[in-house]
Amino acid sequence: MTMFEAKAAKKLTFEAIAKELGRAEVAVAAMFYGQARASEEDIDKLSQLLDVDHAKLTQELAGFPDRGRTIDMPPKEPLIYRLFEIVQNYGYAYKAVINEKFGDGIMSAIAFSTQVEKEEAADGTVWGTCFPVTESQCTWVTETCLTFRTLAEDLLLGFP
């Protein structure tokens, strides 16, 4: 059984798994997709939580991660494209703010923290609308909002 099959069978979310591991949910999802390396402790906990063979998980998760190779440029998957679009539209703004706060340098794309959460203003305005595809109509509909937040300090200096 794969990690994804075990996750589905146990009806676990990345958030629930992250709580068990003491990690961020995006970091856990990155492990599942082979884009982040799992520690021995992560592998122990995942093996118990998912009922997946420890040796199999070690083989899948303890090697070197494969970051970036899986995406065509520009991305074709709509949600990934929107994340790419954030960089297209605001990349220089982020760069300017980071440079003002921390000087000349680059941020880490590997060691940073991020979280996904719904954000609503006091007046009820929702930020960063998510457009899921409906199965019955195959059209885009507005359902809920997500804000992908990363702090400049986290991006440049690593984990908070």
Side-chain angles (χ1 to χ4, degrees):
M1 179 177 288
T2 69
M3 291 188 307
F4 285 102
E5 290 168 341
K7 177 183 174 288
K10 292 183 171 278
K11 297 181 173 140
L12 293 170
T13 63
F14 287 121
E15 181 179 21
I17 296 168
K19 284 180 183 174
E20 292 291 325
L21 270 59
R23 301 279 299 254
E25 66 185 321
V26 175
V28 170
M31 281 186 237
F32 271 64
Y33 285 96
Q35 296 174 319
R37 191 175 194 168
S39 70
E40 185 60 37
E41 183 180 346
D42 293 330
I43 294 168
D44 290 343
K45 289 179 181 179
L46 281 170
S47 179
Q48 291 175 10
L49 180 65
L50 299 174
D51 292 323
V52 175
D53 181 64
H54 189 278
K56 180 179 181 179
L57 285 181
T58 300
Q59 183 180 6
E60 291 177 10
L61 299 174
F64 294 108
D66 187 9
R67 300 179 183 100
R69 181 181 65 94
T70 59
I71 297 178
D72 294 328
M73 294 306 273
K76 292 171 181 56
E77 203 305 311
L79 178 61
I80 303 297
Y81 179 81
R82 292 298 183 197
L83 294 172
F84 176 74
E85 190 175 46
I86 291 169
V87 174
Q88 282 183 306
N89 291 324
Y90 298 102
Y92 279 100
Y94 279 115
K95 179 187 180 326
V97 170
I98 289 170
N99 288 159
E100 282 181 0
K101 287 185 174 193
F102 307 108
D104 188 21
I106 62 171
M107 64 176 218
S108 171
I110 297 169
F112 71 96
S113 64
T114 186
Q115 63 189 68
V116 179
E117 60 186 39
K118 182 176 182 176
E119 187 173 306
E120 193 171 314
D123 66 358
T125 306
V126 184
W127 299 91
T129 304
C130 181
F131 301 101
V133 176
T134 61
E135 289 183 29
S136 60
Q137 299 172 340
C138 265
T139 59
W140 294 99
V141 294
T142 302
E143 185 176 274
T144 187
C145 318
L146 297 173
T147 300
F148 296 85
R149 300 174 68 189
T150 25
L151 301 173
E153 292 88 348
D154 295 342
L155 293 171
L156 187 64
L157 300 175
F159 300 101

